[in-house]
Structure formats: C-alpha cells, structure tokens
C-alpha cells in the first residue's frame, strides 16, 4: 500500500508547474520562488536607484533646486533602506533558492511552504515602505540607521517602516533557517561539507549570521516603537535612557549585515573565476576558513561605526584592532582569486568581466576600509563622503556587480537561452566606467570635508559633485540596458545547452537548461 | 607643539583648470562657482590634525604599495594567460607555504599601522591640563557656546541668506560655512570643549583642527585642540540632525591672546547693556523688525519663511489657532517646546527680548493680524 501511495505522489509531482497566477502565488518550488525573489529585487533596485537619481540631481549644483531638505533626507534614507533590504538581500536569497538545491544535488529546499511564505512577505513590506512616501509628513528621513532621538520626531511613516523592517526580518530569518536545513541535510550522497561549492559555503555562513543578528535588529526597532508610542524611555536621556545604546544595538546587527551582503557575493565570484580561468579555485580550504573568520570577526567590530560618539580610549583601541584584523582573511580571499587566475586559460565573457571588476574594485573599498579603521583618520572622515565612497565600493562594485555577474553566469541555466553577449559586455563597461566616475570623486569630497546627508554644499565641492552626478546618471541609465538584456534572454535566444561554460564543473550544469521543474528527483552520486 | 609646515593641499592650477574648463565647456558650471576645491585633508592647523594628516599619508602609501603588489600579477595573468593566446590552464590549486606567507605578511603590516595610530589615539584623548574650557551645545540647528567661568554665552547661527540658497542671489565665498557669531578662542592655548546637545545628536567638526565629536543629548563628551595660527577655521555639523543639518556651520576664530581678552570684555559689556534694557518697552515695528531676523534664524527651517509650514511634518503658523489665540498659550509653547516633536524649548535658547520679538512677529505676520505687542517683561513673567 505504501508503495502505491509513493507512486501516486511521485506521479503527481511529474506534472510540473500549475499555470497562471496561482503558479506564483502558491509555488513551493525553489526555482519559481528564486525567480520571484530575483524579479522583486530587480524592481526594488530600480525603485531605490530612481531615488538615487533624484539625490544626484539635487546635488548636481550648489543651492536648493529640486527638493526641500526634508524631502532630500527622505530620498537618502529610503535609497539606503530599500537598496539594502529590498534589493541586495532578496537578490542574494534568490540566488540561494535557485542555486543551492541545484549545486548540492537536492530536489528542493527543505521547507517549501516556509519558502513560499518567506517570499510573499516581501511584497507586503515593499508596499508598506513605498507607501510611506504618500503619508502625511512623508517617508523616513533620519537615515537608514534610524538613530534616535531624531527618529522620535517623525510621523506615521516611522511606525510603518518599523513594521516593514520587522516583516523583512521575519522573512530573512525564515529564509536563513530554510537554507541552513537544506545545506546540512539534503546534500547528495558523497558531497561532504568540504566538497560543497564555495557559493554554498558562503550562504551557509551567511544564513547563520542572519539568524544571529536579525532578532537583534528586531529588538532595536521594537524599542524605538515602544519609545515612540508606549511611553518607554530606552533612548530618551531626559528619562534616564541612552541614545548611544541604540547605536551599539543597531551596529551589533549592522556590521554582520554588511557581511550578509558581501559573503554570498564572494561565493558568486569564487564560482565564476575558476570557470573562466579553467582552473580549480586556489586554496579552497583557506577560502572556507577565511569566510568563517570574517563572519566571526563581524560580531566584534561594531563600534567602529561609532568612533566619534566619544567612547573611552580602551573601546576605541579594541575596535580599531579587531577591525584591522578583518583585513587578513579578506586579503587571503583576494590573493586566492588572483592565484586562481594565475596561469589559467582565461576568457572574458560578461560574467568574468564582472567578477574581475569585483576583485579590483572591492579591493579599493577594502583599502578605504583600512583607512577608516584607524581611529584618528576615522575621526576626520566619519560621516563624510569618503564613507559614502567606501561603502559604495563594497556594496555596488562589491555586492551589486557580483550579483550582475552571477545573473549573466546562470541566466543560460535559468532560461535555457544565451543572453546577448555583445550587449552584456556593453552593459559591463558602461557600468564599470560610470560607477567609477560617480564614486571615485567622493573620496576627494570626503577628504576635503563634505559631510554626507546634506542637500546643499559649500562651493569648493561643486566640481566633484557635478562630475559625480553626471556619472550617476550614466550609471542609472546603463541599468536599463541590463533590464533589456535579461528580458530578451528570458524570452528567447540561442539554446544554452546543459553546460555553456566549458570551465564550469558544479552539479547544476549536469541538468538541462532550463532544469526540469523537479530536478535531482534521484540524488546524484558525488565522488 | 609642531607648527603646521606643509605646502597648500589644494590641487595644482593646471588640473583644476582642466576640470573646470571641461565642465564649463559643457555649459554646466554656474559662473559664481569658483571656490578652491581640495583633493586631500584640510591643511592642518593643530598638531593633532598634522599627525592625522601624516598618518593618513602613510596608510595611503602602504595601500598603494599593496595595490601594486596584488594587481600587477593579476593584470599580468589577465594579459598573458589568456585562452586566446593559447595559454594552457595549469592544474595547481593549493600551496600551503604561499598561503602562510600571505597571511603573516599582512599581520606585520597591520602591526606597523597600529603602532602610530595607537599613540595618536592616546594623545587625542588627553583632554587634561586645559587653558580654557568651553561648553558646546548642539541645537536644531545652531551651536551654543558657553565660556565656563566667564559668564559669556551665545548662539551661533548660519548667516548664509536664504536668497543665496534658493539661487535668487549669487552665492558668497563662504556659502554655508559662515555664521553670525563665531566661536572665538586664543591662539596657542589648549582649549577643552565639553559637548552636549539639547534635542538630537549633532557633531561638532573643524577639519583643520582634526576634531570631530558627537554632541549627545543627556551626556557630556569632551575633546580638545590647540591652534597656533590666528585665522578663521570652518566646518559643519557632521551628524544628520533633521532638515537643517546641512545649514549648521561651525566657525572658529583663533585670535592672539590680547585680542581675546578684549573680546571677552566686549561680550560682558554687551551682556550688561542687555540686562540694563530688561525693563524697556518696545514699539510694534521695532519688535517686528527684530522678530523677523530671529524667525529666520530659528523658526524658518521648519515653519518656513511664509509661515505655511510643511503639511504633515511641520504645522503652519499662518492662521494657526495658537499663534492668533491667547498670548499666554503662544508664549508657553515657544518657551517650553512640544516634547516628542522637533519643536524645541526656546526659553533656554533665546533672550527675553528675542522671544518677545519673534512672538510679536508671528502674531502680526502672514494671515495673523492679532495686533498686540508682546514685551520682554511679558516673557519674563511667563518664565517660572
């Protein structure tokens, strides 16, 4: 009898996807949910990118032209918040959904229904966040870091944003639990932990970071909520509270959050480089340990975001030293990527171009991070455009460009079609050049003393701001080309075949392109 | 104390000219934009800033050296080890010796960086043996300076006219970096700043001094500087503090000690004159004229110059029930503020005369035509 039931169930699964809107609303399939995550994040990327265009338009010249300061502060705050929680994080979860089961030879994620719910919470949070622009008083305007007491002065949008961030946090925690369980329990026979592709390793460690720190963020914003609405005084000095305590709690989440956004990007780059160098990843074991060390260190460096708050000298020195230590595992990773390229047989398809640009530009962001780690120099540069330059080098040319490279790398697998290689290269060069025109001058602005988050600036900053704005407009426009290439590839193109990249050797390339709706129904044997 | 002895940190005329001309050619650069722009930290005016400058230069060169060491091999590989040049892929994927070496070398480099940084942190934190202590309080959006022990206390507001910000007038040389009353300190003396804030977190920053310190409500933080060369030094608030964050300059005038002593006497004389005038009665026109200035400096960022406010964020004063209603209610809200909102308790910030003037101005401007005059003595009576 059991056998008969099994056969019946099995038969049912073979039917593939239901059609129409219900396929997407009720999907428990990791590929469909991955696709949903990726489209959602692409939409949010364009929305938050449009906010950035408005910021650069206002900063094009000194003086107030387009927006009053209150609106400008909403633009910068929401640009940051949406890019982090709406664009970068969901896109990486999209990669995890699509790739982890395929790369470890599993048939799906461990908790398919939970997976459905993790995704469908996101549009609710996204709508809430976007809606805040239309409520009285406008959207969040105190910076994405939500520092009190400034946060106490906002309107209803502030409470709506707290709810939205809570929802996003719940989604992230569920997604992370799903990823951890999948990786630990559903690997194909023979795939030991140290045989997992590095992308899977980076996501395993990232998922642990998520489970550890998203509740901390939830605590911090819940305290904000009760301070605002229920008469508590956690952060109100007049009643014995401490505004700086919020910063400690927030950054205890915030710094691991930075690595949540970069570690899976490391994983993507570590997948692309060996494929196009046609050579195994150099130092796989040290790469795994480096990622784990970075994750550990991320918990003990948080106060380097707070060097100017006036902490005791012992605190400044401790956090300076721990921050400097991060350079060691990060350096190991960069050296290993270079060693992987060394004496390879290299070709430069679009994914490889993005991966190489990642190594080069992320390193610049790493160097400016070293500069900022030193307390005395940080005192000069804290809250200036130097910091804006630094985190865009690690988040845009780091995370976002790795994500774009990953999209080009796996699009043939996801859609079954090759993307337009020529247009892909045009998109890469436009992005890489425009990115540097936009953000490199910000180092100079910060050194010369331009504070961040200001709607108007002194005249000595005019030239670089204008250059930066022009670069920004080009960078924004170039991403429309990305959208076009992705849509074009999804709709048709040359057939990709099972393995369009001859250097790629992970399990997903053993499947058809696109893979069957239920892949690895029988687990592969990994030698 | 080492005197700053460094060539001007600005870019050379040729590069500046190229950049400016290329922008001008595009027809994009407004003619009034001609202030010098910098590529590096401000020219240091204190020993600490000099040390920070030198530390930054050192780190920058170390980073450049590492950059070359890492990326020259990478680009060599990218150029020479290509498939299109027929380069076959090697098979190696591990080398323990190499990996140990490139883990240990960074450790040594980091130790080399940490050493000078640590000693500089220690000296920046050494606020003892000061010659003069000034209490700095951040308000939305102005700085208050109080010379402890000298009974001198004043507000420092941005003095850039609104017309320049809105583009109705050409922008001045120190656009957004000028105040009505700068902080005045003697040259060559160790100045200790004790810092706090009344509403939200601000940050007091003068790049040329190498000093940036958050001003946190409810807490006192301290920092110090010693500037040897008389001159005017400019900076800005560095911590997002609301709609006026970009319009909250910090200006310090360093003067020879003799001039500082004279300046202190002037301030005390001004204060005495103000006290003597406490009981004086003013005319409506007089108060309105002064009130408009006070309004522009303290109220217009939120309630707007036309009194219309920003719907949803900041209430309108024009036609407001409080402003055109009972004067006691109007005076009370200005004195005590409204907790939980941006509305500050101006009773602690402004003099009786300024308060009387601004309240009179609000009651007789825009749609408000109450017609009454609030005298400084009325304010004093409502202060409990």
């Amino acid at each position: 009898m059991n056998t008969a039931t099994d056969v019946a169930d099995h038969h049912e699964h073979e039917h593939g996807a239901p059609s129409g809107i219900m396929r997407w609303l009720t999907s428990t399939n990791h590929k469909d949910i991955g696709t949903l995550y990726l489209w959602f994040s692409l939409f949010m990327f364009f929305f938050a990118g449009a906010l950035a265009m408005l910021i650069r338009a206002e900063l094009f010249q000194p003086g107030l032209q387009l927006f009053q300061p209150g609106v400008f502060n909403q633009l910068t705050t929401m640009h940051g918040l949406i890019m982090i929680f709406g664009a970068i994080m969901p896109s990486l979860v999209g990669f995890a959904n699509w790739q982890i089961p395929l790369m470890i030879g599993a048939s799906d994620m461990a908790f398919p229904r939970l997976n459905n719910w993790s995704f469908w919470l996101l549009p609710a949070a996204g709508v809430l966040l976007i809606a805040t622009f239309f409520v009285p008083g406008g959207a969040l305007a105190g910076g994405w870091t939500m520092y009190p007491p400034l946060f106490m002065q906002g309107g209803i949008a502030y409470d709506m944003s707290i709810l939205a961030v809570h929802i996003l946090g719940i989604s992230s925690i569920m997604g992370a639990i799903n990823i951890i369980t999948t990786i630990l329990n559903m690997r194909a026979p023979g795939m030991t932990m140290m045989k997992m592709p590095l992308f899977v390793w980076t996501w395993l460690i990232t998922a642990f970071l998520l489970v550890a720190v998203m509740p901390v963020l939830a605590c911090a914003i819940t305290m904000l909520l009760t301070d605002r609405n229920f008469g508590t005084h956690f952060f109100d000095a007049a009643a014995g509270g401490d505004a700086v305590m919020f910063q400690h709690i927030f950054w205890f989440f915030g710094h691991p959050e930075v690595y949540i956004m970069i570690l899976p990007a490391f994983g993507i780059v570590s997948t692309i480089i060996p494929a196009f160098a046609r050579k195994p990843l150099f130092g796989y074991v040290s790469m795994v340990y480096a990622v784990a060390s970075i994750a550990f260190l991320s918990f003990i460096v948080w106060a380097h975001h707070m060097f100017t708050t006036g902490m005791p000298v012992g605190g400044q020195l401790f956090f300076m030293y721990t921050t400097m230590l991060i350079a060691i595992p990060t350096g190991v990773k960069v050296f290993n990527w270079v060693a992987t390229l060394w004496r390879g047989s290299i070709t430069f398809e679009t994914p490889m171009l993005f991966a190489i640009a990642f190594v080069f530009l992320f390193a610049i962001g790493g160097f400016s991070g070293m500069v900022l780690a030193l307390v005395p120099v940080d005192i000069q540069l804290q809250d200036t455009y130097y910091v804006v330059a630094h985190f865009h080098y690690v988040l845009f040319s780091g995370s976002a460009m790795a994500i774009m490279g990953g999209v080009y790398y796996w699009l043939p697998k996801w859609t079954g079609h090759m993307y337009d290689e020529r247009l892909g290269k045009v998109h890469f060069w436009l992005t890489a050049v425009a990115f540097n025109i936009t953000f490199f001058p910000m180092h100079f602005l910060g050194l010369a003393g331009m504070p961040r988050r200001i709607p108007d600036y002194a005249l000595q900053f005019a030239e670089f701001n204008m250059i930066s704005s022009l670069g920004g407009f080009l960078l924004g426009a170039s991403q429309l080309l990305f959208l076009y290439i992705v849509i074009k590839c999804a709709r048709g193109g040359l057939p990709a075949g099972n393995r369009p990249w001859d250097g790629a050797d992970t399990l997903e390339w053993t499947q058809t392109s696109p893979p069957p709706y239920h892949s690895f129904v029988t687990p592969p044997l990994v030698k | 104390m080492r005197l700053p002895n460094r060539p001007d940190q600005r870019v050379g005329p040729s590069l500046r000219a190229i950049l400016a001309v290329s922008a001008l050619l595009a027809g994009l650069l407004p003619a009034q934009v001609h202030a010098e722009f910098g590529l590096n930290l401000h020219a240091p005016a204190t020993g600490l800033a000099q040390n920070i400058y030198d530390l930054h230069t050192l780190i920058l060169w170390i980073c450049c050296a590492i950059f070359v060491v890492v990326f020259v091999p990478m680009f060599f590989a990218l150029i020479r080890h290509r498939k299109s040049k027929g380069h076959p892929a090697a098979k190696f994927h591990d080398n323990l010796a190499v990996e140990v070496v490139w883990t240990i070398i960074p450790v040594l480099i980091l130790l080399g960086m940490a050493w000078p940084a640590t000693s500089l942190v220690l000296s920046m934190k050494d606020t003892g043996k000061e010659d003069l202590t000034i209490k700095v309080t951040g308000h939305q959006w102005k700085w208050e300076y109080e010379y402890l022990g000298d009974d001198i206390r004043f507000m420092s507001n941005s003095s850039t006219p609104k017309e320049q910000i809105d583009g109705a007038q050409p922008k001045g040389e120190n656009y957004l970096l000028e105040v009505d009353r700068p902080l005045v300190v003697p040259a060559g003396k160790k100045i200790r700043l004790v810092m706090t804030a009344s509403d939200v977190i601000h940050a007091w920053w003068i790049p040329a001094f190498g000093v940036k310190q958050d001003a946190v409500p409810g807490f006192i933080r301290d920092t110090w500087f010693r500037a040897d060369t008389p001159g005017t030094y400019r900076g800005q608030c560095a911590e997002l503090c609301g709609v006026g964050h970009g319009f909250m300059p910090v200006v310090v005038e360093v003067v020879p000690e003799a001039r500082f002593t004279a300046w202190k006497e002037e301030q005390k004389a001004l204060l005495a004159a103000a006290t003597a005038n406490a009981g004086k009665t003013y005319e409506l026109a007089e108060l309105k004229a002064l009130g408009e200035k006070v309004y522009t400096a303290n109220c217009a960022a939120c309630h707007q110059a036309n009194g219309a406010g920003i719907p949803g964020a900041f209430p309108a004063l024009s036609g407001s029930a409080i402003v055109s209603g009972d004067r006691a209610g109007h005076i009370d809200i200005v004195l005590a503020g409204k907790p939980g909102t941006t509305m500050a308790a101006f009773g602690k910030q402004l003099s009786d005369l300024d308060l009387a003037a601004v309240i009179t101005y609000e009651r007789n401007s825009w749609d408000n035509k109450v017609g009454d005059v609030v005298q400084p003595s009325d304010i004093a009576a409502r202060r409990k």
Side-chain angles (χ1 to χ4, degrees):
Chain A
M1 207 173 96
N2 275 341
T3 321
T5 326
D6 282 348
V7 169
D9 278 351
H10 191 72
H11 186 72
E12 196 177 32
H13 281 185
E14 289 297 308
H15 278 304
S19 55
I21 183 82
M22 290 314 279
R23 164 175 179 179
W24 303 105
L25 281 175
T26 63
S27 182
T28 53
N29 181 288
H30 74 101
K31 303 181 187 77
D32 283 357
I33 293 174
T35 304
L36 286 170
Y37 265 108
L38 289 166
W39 278 115
F40 173 81
S41 61
L42 193 62
F43 173 80
M44 292 309 244
F45 178 69
F46 277 99
F47 183 85
L51 300 181
M53 295 299 103
L54 300 179
I55 294 169
R56 287 313 327 166
E58 176 56 53
L59 293 176
F60 187 66
Q61 287 180 32
L64 293 179
Q65 284 89 24
L66 303 173
F67 303 110
Q68 286 303 305
V71 178
F72 181 86
N73 289 347
Q74 294 174 32
L75 295 176
T76 52
T77 301
M78 296 305 284
H79 166 71
L81 200 67
I82 295 180
M83 277 294 184
I84 290 168
F85 290 104
I88 302 280
M89 289 174 68
S91 74
L92 292 170
V93 180
F95 275 92
N97 259 295
W98 253 105
Q99 290 310 126
I100 288 174
L102 284 176
M103 291 174 107
I104 63 174
S107 55
D108 206 310
M109 298 293 281
F111 305 119
R113 289 195 179 87
L114 193 73
N115 207 10
N116 174 288
W117 197 29
S118 330
F119 173 76
W120 282 108
L121 285 175
L122 291 184
V127 167
L128 258 177
L129 280 179
I130 293 174
T132 58
F133 278 103
F134 305 102
V135 300
L140 215 61
W144 83 277
T145 49
M146 301 186 267
Y147 282 6
L150 186 59
F151 195 85
M152 299 303 141
Q153 296 179 349
I156 183 74
Y158 286 58
D159 300 309
M160 289 167 69
S161 302
I162 289 176
L163 180 59
V165 174
H166 266 307
I167 295 173
L168 292 165
I170 293 169
S171 159
S172 288
I173 292 169
M174 292 193 306
I177 290 171
N178 211 344
I179 287 166
I180 293 170
T181 315
T182 307
I183 296 174
L184 293 183
N185 295 296
M186 297 179 65
R187 298 191 309 279
M191 180 173 280
T192 58
M193 294 293 278
M194 293 312 275
K195 279 188 186 165
M196 294 195 312
L198 203 76
F199 175 76
V200 179
W201 258 115
T202 56
W203 242 119
L204 178 65
I205 290 166
T206 302
F208 275 106
L209 287 181
L210 276 170
V211 171
V213 301
M214 292 313 286
V216 178
L217 174 67
C219 292
I221 61 176
T222 303
M223 285 189 262
L224 286 177
L225 186 78
T226 60
D227 266 16
R228 280 175 58 82
N229 299 296
F230 305 113
T232 58
H233 302 284
F234 292 109
F235 310 125
D236 177 7
D242 181 351
V244 177
M245 182 176 76
F246 175 86
Q247 299 184 22
H248 281 289
I249 302 170
F250 180 87
W251 286 113
F252 188 82
F253 145 80
H255 203 79
E257 168 70 14
V258 174
Y259 295 109
I260 287 166
M261 291 187 283
I262 198 67
L263 294 182
F266 285 172
I268 294 172
V269 168
S270 302
T271 312
I272 295 174
I273 289 183
F276 296 95
R278 291 166 183 77
K279 204 168 144 277
L281 182 67
F282 186 86
Y284 170 88
V285 177
S286 66
M287 286 298 232
V288 172
Y289 285 123
V291 173
S293 324
I294 293 172
F296 169 74
L297 287 172
S298 76
F299 286 106
I300 52 169
V301 298
W302 76 88
H304 69 212
H305 297 269
M306 305 163 52
F307 282 149
T308 62
T309 55
M311 71 181 77
V313 66
Q316 287 189 336
L317 291 176
F318 174 81
F319 287 105
M320 175 171 81
Y321 299 149
T322 52
T323 305
M324 293 172 81
L325 282 180
I326 292 182
I328 296 166
T330 313
V332 165
K333 297 199 73 76
V334 173
F335 302 148
N336 282 347
W337 287 321
V338 173
T340 307
L341 291 167
W342 187 251
R343 291 177 57 207
S345 180
I346 303 171
T347 53
F348 298 95
E349 287 84 349
T350 310
M352 184 62 158
L353 291 175
F354 274 100
I356 291 167
F358 170 94
V359 175
F360 186 74
L361 297 174
F362 175 79
I364 295 179
F367 286 129
S368 57
M370 275 304 307
V371 172
L372 288 169
L374 301 169
V375 174
V377 184
D378 181 79
I379 299 260
Q380 281 286 35
L381 298 176
Q382 166 83 27
D383 271 316
T384 67
Y385 262 80
Y386 192 91
V387 176
V388 178
H390 162 70
F391 67 68
H392 281 95
Y393 267 82
V394 292
L395 271 177
F396 192 101
S397 65
S399 305
M401 282 175 72
I403 288 166
M404 290 173 192
V407 167
Y408 284 111
Y409 181 68
W410 279 303
L411 256 186
K413 176 56 61 189
W414 298 339
T415 64
H417 310 129
M418 293 307 287
Y419 59 87
D420 186 327
E421 186 66 58
R422 194 180 54 88
L423 283 184
K425 283 181 175 158
V426 172
H427 170 233
F428 166 76
W429 285 109
L430 282 173
T431 302
V433 170
F435 167 80
N436 283 292
I437 298 174
T438 311
F439 293 103
F440 206 80
M442 290 186 186
H443 292 108
F444 302 128
L445 286 173
L447 286 166
M450 178 169 166
R452 57 190 287 212
R453 296 166 164 171
I454 55 174
D456 191 7
Y457 46 81
L459 301 184
Q460 66 265 38
F461 307 127
E463 285 94 339
F464 281 132
N465 268 296
M466 185 170 283
I467 294 168
S468 182
S469 284
L470 291 172
F473 299 144
L474 181 63
L475 184 60
S478 309
Q479 303 321 309
L480 295 173
L481 182 59
F482 181 55
L483 181 66
Y484 172 76
I485 295 168
V486 170
I487 291 175
K488 189 177 168 203
C489 178
R491 300 181 67 146
L494 296 172
N498 284 9
R499 192 165 71 113
W501 316 121
D502 59 332
D505 62 355
T506 37
L507 282 176
E508 73 270 34
W509 306 107
T510 63
Q511 299 285 297
T512 55
S513 303
Y517 196 62
H518 294 287
S519 42
F520 294 122
V521 176
T522 311
L525 190 65
V526 179
K527 287 189 287 291
Chain B
M1 177 65 57
R2 195 146 48 106
L3 272 173
N5 177 25
R6 193 150 282 278
D8 195 11
Q9 311 303 336
R10 313 271 184 193
V11 287
S14 54
L15 175 57
R16 211 191 101 72
I18 292 166
L19 286 168
V21 166
S22 52
L24 268 175
L25 281 178
L28 298 165
L29 205 57
Q32 76 269 22
V33 177
H34 49 61
E36 293 279 310
F37 66 88
L39 288 174
N40 204 341
L41 294 167
H42 282 225
T46 65
L48 286 182
Q50 181 69 54
N51 291 341
I52 293 172
Y53 188 98
D54 294 341
L55 180 64
H56 174 256
T57 307
L58 172 73
I59 303 307
L60 197 60
W61 282 115
I62 292 176
C63 287
C64 286
I66 300 172
F67 197 79
V68 169
V69 169
V70 174
F71 288 109
V72 164
M74 184 176 101
F75 280 100
F76 182 86
L78 293 181
I79 292 163
R80 299 289 290 274
H81 302 160
R82 294 176 180 225
K83 194 181 177 199
S84 59
K85 297 205 166 172
H87 193 276
K91 293 282 169 239
F92 68 88
H93 54 78
D94 264 319
N95 188 323
L96 187 64
V98 169
E99 294 189 54
V100 169
V101 167
W102 70 37
T103 308
I104 289 177
I105 290 178
V107 174
L108 299 176
I109 296 174
L110 288 177
L111 286 174
M113 288 179 175
W115 186 260
T118 302
S119 66
L120 187 49
V121 171
L122 293 174
S123 56
M124 291 173 88
K125 278 287 185 185
D126 178 17
T127 52
K129 297 206 185 74
E130 73 278 14
D131 298 309
L132 177 65
T133 302
I134 299 169
K135 182 180 167 201
V136 181
T137 310
H139 302 283
Q140 283 174 317
W141 293 274
K142 52 190 168 282
W143 295 99
E144 177 186 351
Y145 299 116
E146 185 178 353
Y147 292 68
L148 297 184
D150 264 323
D151 204 24
I152 299 173
R153 188 176 78 94
F154 59 89
M155 291 286 174
S156 178
N157 287 289
S158 166
S159 60
T160 298
K162 183 88 176 110
E163 294 75 23
Q164 289 190 15
I165 295 169
D166 291 335
Q169 277 177 17
K171 295 175 179 26
E173 189 194 356
N174 294 311
Y175 177 69
L176 298 186
L177 296 177
E178 52 202 343
V179 295
D180 52 358
R181 298 182 72 181
L183 177 67
V184 179
V185 298
K189 298 284 181 190
K190 182 166 184 176
I191 315 292
R192 176 171 175 247
L193 301 177
V194 293
M195 212 160 295
T196 188
S198 68
D199 35 43
V200 303
I201 303 173
H202 304 270
W204 194 92
W205 180 31
I206 293 282
F209 293 172
V211 168
K212 183 187 288 148
Q213 174 60 55
D214 287 4
V216 184
F219 292 86
I220 296 280
R221 310 291 198 207
D222 67 346
T223 184
W224 71 278
F225 65 89
R226 183 191 339 242
D228 293 305
T229 319
T232 306
Y233 299 91
R234 299 172 195 277
Q236 286 178 266
C237 175
E239 180 71 48
L240 178 60
C241 56
V243 297
H245 169 54
F247 309 94
M248 197 174 159
V250 179
V251 180
V252 179
E253 255 177 47
V254 177
V255 297
E257 191 167 10
R259 254 192 69 196
F260 178 68
T261 316
W263 175 84
K264 278 204 300 192
E265 292 312 316
E266 280 169 35
Q267 299 308 307
K268 287 177 184 166
L270 281 175
L271 205 68
T275 318
N277 274 339
K280 195 180 158 192
T281 317
Y282 293 82
E283 296 298 321
L284 174 66
E286 245 179 320
L287 283 176
K288 258 190 88 171
L290 174 62
E292 184 168 8
K293 287 189 192 126
V294 178
Y295 184 85
T296 306
N298 294 282
C299 318
C302 296
H303 295 298
Q304 306 298 307
N306 61 3
I310 296 176
F314 306 113
L317 298 187
S318 183
S320 142
I322 295 176
V323 176
S324 40
D326 170 40
R327 61 206 248 158
H330 188 181
I331 295 171
D332 285 349
I333 195 166
V334 178
L335 281 178
K338 191 171 175 195
T341 70
T342 318
M343 183 64 197
F346 285 96
K348 293 178 201 140
Q349 300 181 13
L350 300 174
S351 69
D352 288 354
L353 174 59
D354 285 346
L355 287 163
V358 77
I359 291 171
T360 305
Y361 173 74
E362 288 171 0
R363 296 174 75 77
N364 297 288
S365 299
W366 320 301
D367 292 346
N368 307 331
K369 301 196 168 46
V370 186
D372 61 356
V373 178
V374 176
Q375 295 292 347
S377 53
D378 298 328
I379 304 291
R382 297 294 308 170
R383 286 187 194 267
K384 278 138 204 155

